Amino acid sequence: MGKGDKKSKRGKIVNGSYGVKRPRKKYYYEDEVVEEKPAKKAKK
């Protein structure tokens, strides 16, 4: 495995492609915790 191997991470970096070994960065925010509003009680 090395620079010429298309299945390795290093080979993907050299080749400039993406795959299972080298996924793209995810730009959505996982760290932010969204607080849910408390459910309103039904009026009687």
Side-chain angles (χ1 to χ4, degrees):
M1 289 198 185
K3 292 180 183 178
D5 188 10
K6 292 181 181 179
K7 290 190 175 183
S8 67
K9 185 176 181 179
R10 178 56 52 193
K12 299 254 181 225
I13 292 169
V14 171
N15 195 27
S17 63
Y18 293 91
V20 175
K21 294 283 185 180
R22 185 177 174 235
R24 288 181 175 88
K25 288 186 178 180
K26 295 181 180 179
Y27 290 102
Y28 62 89
Y29 301 97
E30 284 187 70
D31 296 335
E32 290 185 15
V33 178
V34 179
E35 292 182 16
E36 295 183 11
K37 293 180 182 178
K40 293 182 180 178
K41 294 181 181 179
K43 293 183 181 178
K44 292 185 179 180

